[in-house]
Amino acid sequence: MSGRNTDFRRVKTPGVVEPPYNQEELNDQTRRMIGVRRDWYGLDIEPEYDTALYQPEGRWLRVARHPTVGEDILTFDWYNRFGIPHEVSLPNSPHGFISFRLWMVQVARAWSKPVRAAGLNPDLFGGIYDQGRINFFQVMRFRIARQRAYAFYVGLAWYKQQCVLTTRPGNMDIFGEYTPEGPIEMQILFSLVGLDFNFIHVSTEEIERLKRFIRSPAVRTTFIEYATDYLETNENTTIPRWNIIQPSLSNPDLAASRAAAYGRTWEDSSRLNKTHWSHEDHAIRFILTLYEAATRQLEYDDIGTWNARSFERFFFSTASAPDMADRHWFGYSLLNLLLLSWQYNQVVAWDNYPAVLVPALYEGFRPARIRYPRPNLGEIDLSPHTPWIWFDDYVPTMDLQTAVTLGLIEPATADQLNAQESPTEMTDDGRIRPEEVQPGWRPELDTIPFFPLG
């Protein structure tokens, strides 16, 4: 192992900016932190209705409580857990950025557009009240719920996979909680298919079926293309963004353009121009090709919707969801497992790696000292120029309490899925419920400064 790279983090954890500090900079940093932590939803703030539509940008703060210890105290906060920025930009403002919650009540609430509403009785109203209005606050609340789900399940699955490759299960997960120990096979299956397996007793037959599938041409040939085209020249990469991949694959209106852009078979690779492809482009290509090849392979073995089990069901599913129920989740999570296993092999050089691809499923496997980069959980879409969608709140498809009972996740981790950005109850369009209104106040500087991380 000598001389091999064991740290796949894209960026090393930076230390705090060296003292002496400029007091004005420290005061500004502290003001920003107070702005982020303040519950602006609890104040009766009028929207800035004269704010024209613009393209907002988000940014995250990195701060420490001690001038010489570079520990980011925001690593596991609500914003970092879910890919939602601490601050959002303002147009042509000397202040530049304001906290996300203040932007929601001042700016997002100010933007609105007419929408088709459920019509009233035409005999009485003649259709004149069939139009309603929706503001961007409501749209953003829907986006927040979706982004929370994307980030939660990606972070959960990534933790399960990297944990079996690097340490014994039981270390701190992406949510800052400690996950109980469990068999490696159960941890891997949970990351791939959720609770859709015999979690009371993971049978040898079930594990062998998964191992055979991973060794099959459907997976090996498809992964070789992905590794050749992307991974071998980006060995320090983290996992691709599910919040980009899932909407792209689930939209039926994009079927023709997807086929043209990514192809569906191994033979299509030679005609595709991949010069400017992102990681997500390569991941979509992997998933589409995998599903095409796997479906043919399963049908050849006389496996269909009537007798498919566990991971096989995903290839015949039509489900669309931001979580593990989505039909493409298995392909996405399998790619992440293959990616992490490939990076593991760069350190350990497992003897039979090219044939098995996932050494953790085999006897004799030992975790290695590898430092993976934190997963890319994606970022919420702040743009008012993308389609305004305001469906009902996200309803989880997995019974997380069952996962807690089985010891797969901690109760505190399960609670994170529904964590809100504010304890204040608000209506869908951003109006504060009367009992929630707080008296106005102006926070003073915290007596303990926040030191900016470099």
Side-chain angles (χ1 to χ4, degrees):
M1 295 173 58
S2 175
R4 291 182 180 271
N5 177 29
T6 61
D7 191 339
F8 289 97
R9 294 174 300 171
R10 185 176 297 169
V11 180
K12 303 292 191 298
T13 302
V16 182
V17 175
E18 292 294 327
Y21 295 97
N22 180 295
Q23 189 60 45
E24 184 177 343
E25 292 177 348
L26 288 180
N27 289 347
D28 178 67
Q29 186 79 358
T30 304
R31 286 191 187 96
R32 291 170 61 192
M33 276 297 302
I34 291 174
V36 168
R37 290 184 167 182
R38 186 179 181 186
D39 186 16
W40 297 100
Y41 286 7
L43 301 178
D44 192 8
I45 299 174
E46 282 295 312
E48 299 286 345
Y49 290 109
D50 58 347
T51 305
L53 294 184
Y54 69 98
Q55 182 64 43
E57 296 180 2
R59 71 179 181 186
W60 283 260
L61 301 181
R62 297 193 66 249
V63 298
R65 275 296 200 179
H66 192 276
T68 59
V69 180
E71 180 180 354
D72 184 0
I73 65 173
L74 304 179
T75 298
F76 298 112
D77 75 347
W78 183 86
Y79 300 91
N80 276 301
R81 287 199 306 266
F82 298 120
I84 296 171
H86 290 114
E87 297 181 320
V88 182
S89 65
L90 291 173
N92 306 317
S93 169
H95 303 292
F97 287 76
I98 60 175
S99 74
F100 176 80
R101 281 185 283 202
L102 181 56
W103 178 83
M104 285 282 286
V105 296
Q106 272 193 333
V107 179
R109 281 179 64 203
W111 294 335
S112 65
K113 64 170 54 177
V115 295
R116 173 67 66 177
L120 299 176
N121 189 326
D123 295 334
L124 298 176
F125 298 96
I128 61 175
Y129 294 115
D130 289 356
Q131 289 287 333
R133 294 193 72 83
I134 185 173
N135 69 26
F136 195 58
F137 183 96
Q138 186 172 349
V139 174
M140 283 301 301
R141 294 281 275 190
F142 169 77
R143 293 182 184 180
I144 289 170
R146 297 283 292 191
Q147 178 58 28
R148 281 205 319 264
Y150 285 131
F152 177 85
Y153 287 100
V154 169
L156 185 61
W158 171 87
Y159 171 73
K160 294 295 181 185
Q161 294 175 357
Q162 68 88 29
C163 193
V164 300
L165 292 166
T166 59
T167 61
R168 285 182 58 81
N171 289 337
M172 185 177 290
D173 66 14
I174 193 66
F175 307 106
E177 306 295 341
Y178 286 88
T179 296
E181 296 185 8
I184 285 178
E185 295 86 352
M186 180 178 285
Q187 304 292 330
I188 290 178
L189 275 173
F190 178 65
S191 74
L192 295 176
V193 301
L195 295 177
D196 192 7
F197 66 97
N198 183 358
F199 41 78
I200 302 301
H201 174 67
V202 181
S203 68
T204 302
E205 178 189 355
E206 192 159 15
I207 296 302
E208 287 301 320
R209 190 165 69 252
L210 176 63
K211 289 160 65 174
R212 285 196 302 271
F213 177 73
I214 292 175
R215 294 195 305 265
S216 73
V219 177
R220 291 184 63 252
T221 304
T222 308
F223 182 70
I224 287 172
E225 179 187 325
Y226 164 82
T228 302
D229 291 344
Y230 180 80
L231 192 51
E232 290 177 359
T233 53
N234 296 273
E235 70 167 20
N236 295 333
T237 190
T238 185
I239 60 178
R241 293 168 292 179
W242 176 236
N243 75 328
I244 299 296
I245 295 170
Q246 192 275 335
S248 299
L249 290 174
S250 65
N251 190 339
D253 296 334
L254 299 179
S257 58
R258 277 197 303 269
Y262 302 109
R264 299 192 66 90
T265 67
W266 300 320
E267 293 75 22
D268 290 331
S269 181
S270 60
R271 70 167 178 81
L272 299 174
N273 183 359
K274 307 176 186 178
T275 305
H276 302 293
W277 276 21
S278 67
H279 193 183
E280 287 69 36
D281 288 321
H282 289 282
I284 290 173
R285 163 71 181 162
F286 171 89
I287 294 170
L288 290 174
T289 309
L290 170 68
Y291 275 52
E292 179 72 19
T295 302
R296 292 201 307 265
Q297 181 175 299
L298 291 173
E299 289 175 344
Y300 178 82
D301 293 333
D302 199 28
I303 296 175
T305 55
W306 62 91
N307 62 349
R309 294 182 293 172
S310 190
F311 70 87
E312 298 167 345
R313 295 175 185 166
F314 285 84
F315 298 110
F316 304 100
S317 170
T318 59
S320 174
D323 55 30
M324 294 177 173
D326 189 89
R327 71 165 303 217
H328 294 109
W329 172 266
F330 174 74
Y332 169 76
S333 190
L334 177 61
L335 174 61
N336 294 342
L337 177 61
L338 294 171
L339 186 161
L340 295 175
S341 298
W342 183 91
Q343 291 175 328
Y344 168 92
N345 187 63
Q346 304 308 299
V347 177
V348 177
W350 185 266
D351 288 342
N352 203 27
Y353 168 78
V356 302
L357 295 182
V358 182
L361 291 171
Y362 291 83
E363 185 178 355
F365 169 79
R366 293 290 182 273
R369 290 184 174 273
I370 304 173
R371 304 193 70 176
Y372 288 108
R374 286 176 62 82
N376 191 338
L377 303 179
E379 301 174 11
I380 193 168
D381 180 10
L382 301 171
S383 176
H385 303 298
T386 48
W388 289 27
I389 301 174
W390 59 97
F391 299 151
D392 293 336
D393 288 341
Y394 164 73
V395 177
T397 57
M398 180 192 295
D399 183 358
L400 293 175
Q401 291 309 310
T402 298
V404 171
T405 302
L406 294 169
L408 290 166
I409 60 176
E410 284 284 331
T413 298
D415 293 341
Q416 294 298 333
L417 177 60
N418 296 315
Q420 301 293 325
E421 70 269 32
S422 167
T424 300
E425 291 283 338
M426 305 194 78
T427 59
D428 285 343
D429 61 0
R431 289 175 294 182
I432 311 170
R433 301 186 189 280
E435 64 274 14
E436 296 284 347
V437 177
Q438 302 174 10
W441 59 279
R442 295 183 62 82
E444 299 299 329
L445 281 179
D446 195 326
T447 56
I448 304 176
F450 294 93
F451 297 92
L453 287 169

